[in-house]
Amino acid sequence: MKHLPKHLQPRWRYLGVELETWPDTDIERRAFQRELWYAAQDLIGDAGSAALDLTVYTFEFEDGRGGAVVRTHRGETARARAAIATLSAVDGDPVGVRVRGVSGTARACEEKYIRHATEAPEQRQVVFREAEYDAVVRAERVDVRTDDGFSGVTDLDCQ
Amino acid sequence: MYEAVYAHPDGGSTVARQALTASEYGFDGIVVRNHGDQAAYDAEAISASYDIDVVDGIEVRATDPSRASGLVGNHRSRRTVVAVHGGSVDMNRFAVEQPAVDVLAHPMAGDGDVNHVLVKAAANNGVRFEFSLHDVLHETGGTRVRQIQSLRKLRELVEHYDAPYVVSADPRSHLDLRSPRDLLAVGETIGFTESQIEAGLAEWQRLTDRNRERASSSFVEPGVWIDDE
């Protein structure tokens, strides 16, 4: 179909979303999009979810960290933020999310708010609370593999 | 704005990791409020490394009010912020009647409930109700509906009696933390105003400043202090 004249095209806003999980979790774009729709639908219902029209625009995720540009209608950014904040797990694995900022174009959003992974995390042994554990180390962040899942610590806590 | 967190071994992340994440998210401080089982941490080193205030707190959890009373007495002189683990009618009633208690944490969790009598008592004694957004962020369906309903009930009572309150996402790990802006948006969606959530997050900070001032050696009583000059 012929595209709409410019003044009738929808106005979008792009949210730069930062994602963090434990290092053994992998999130795929489709799963993230699905959880996003469910989160919006659960919080503000079908009508609200349709009004937000949350769409994953760009997505990258590797080794427990990632970012996404999520598109929503102009004027709905507050509700979009709320819906994204209630996304607490993807496929049952806990996720930390934060909306770092909102832009008028996808490119500006990507440049300003999406941090690309610079270096791969390092696997090594650390001493935490007087015991030795396997850990995934990324700069000051250390995820320690304990008997009951991971613990989030930093370089201040371990040797 | 401050956030009140649970840290390892009470939660999945250490004080340092919570502080690092909270600092990135734009909080000015965190209140560590473990349920008693506290691993040692160096608040000053964490505070200096991550540019965030780290406040020593506790959330007293007890099965009955008489035991809680002893614990509150023990911790009051040692901790900056003393909260009581609410969520049952007995414990809610106990907490609001104790001026030594700063915060009644998650009063509406589990079987917890409040009424006008408790809210009036809390307003008189300066005990802050906590609006816990944890279940709003992490639950769905019926559990969340009931939680939002009970937050609404508490909010209406708190507004009517002008009782003090705090707001928190009750993060158990750094993955549970949400930024202040995101919490404002969630609050607005479930019927709070932006300024209420903002005031609730800032109240932790006001409380910390007040209690630190009270604990300082020059403090005599509110409005009276020893001047060194």
Side-chain angles (χ1 to χ4, degrees), chain B residues 34-83:
Chain B
N34 281 13
H35 296 103
D37 35 354
Q38 186 92 275
Y41 60 91
D42 184 348
E44 272 176 31
I46 295 169
S47 181
S49 303
Y50 305 134
D51 187 27
I52 187 167
D53 189 10
V54 179
V55 185
D56 172 32
I58 184 148
E59 188 176 309
V60 170
R61 180 167 53 186
T63 43
D64 60 283
S66 58
R67 204 164 300 168
S69 176
L71 289 168
V72 168
N74 280 344
H75 289 290
R76 182 65 277 181
S77 54
R78 289 189 281 145
R79 312 274 186 172
T80 310
V81 173
V82 175

Side-chain angles (χ1 to χ4, degrees), chain A residues 81 85 129 141 143 152 157, chain B residues 8 12 14 17 24 178 182:
Chain A
R81 253 179 204 279
R129 305 262 150 87
R141 286 156 219 274
D143 291 328
D157 296 307
Chain B
H8 193 271
T14 58
R17 187 62 176 270
E24 280 185 356
R178 293 293 180 267
D182 292 355

Side-chain angles (χ1 to χ4, degrees), chain A residues 3-70:
Chain A
H3 65 249
L4 292 170
K6 188 124 195 189
H7 67 285
L8 293 175
Q9 286 172 10
R11 307 285 186 136
W12 304 108
R13 285 292 177 268
Y14 299 85
L15 291 88
V17 181
E18 191 174 70
L19 299 165
E20 187 175 2
T21 63
W22 297 120
D24 61 347
T25 304
D26 191 32
I27 305 180
E28 284 179 9
R29 183 192 173 118
R30 290 173 68 117
F32 179 67
Q33 172 74 77
R34 191 185 62 232
E35 295 289 348
L36 208 54
W37 280 328
Y38 284 150
Q41 200 180 6
D42 282 343
L43 188 68
I44 49 181
D46 290 341
S49 178
L52 297 190
D53 194 6
L54 289 175
T55 312
V56 178
Y57 214 73
T58 69
F59 182 83
E60 60 182 80
F61 192 86
E62 212 175 338
D63 304 318
R65 289 207 74 140
V69 172
V70 175

Side-chain angles (χ1 to χ4, degrees), chain B residues 10-42:
Chain B
D10 219 3
S13 311
T14 58
V15 176
R17 187 62 176 270
Q18 294 271 28
L20 172 62
T21 312
S23 170
E24 280 185 356
Y25 280 17
F27 286 103
D28 304 310
I30 56 168
V31 177
V32 182
R33 48 146 159 181
N34 281 13
H35 296 103
D37 35 354
Q38 186 92 275
Y41 60 91
D42 184 348

Side-chain angles (χ1 to χ4, degrees), chain A residues 110-126:
Chain A
E110 173 112 27
E111 281 171 7
K112 253 175 119 169
Y113 302 120
I114 303 299
R115 263 188 289 198
H116 298 282
T118 44
E119 52 189 275
E122 183 193 346
Q123 305 262 354
R124 64 177 153 95
Q125 297 263 308
V126 298

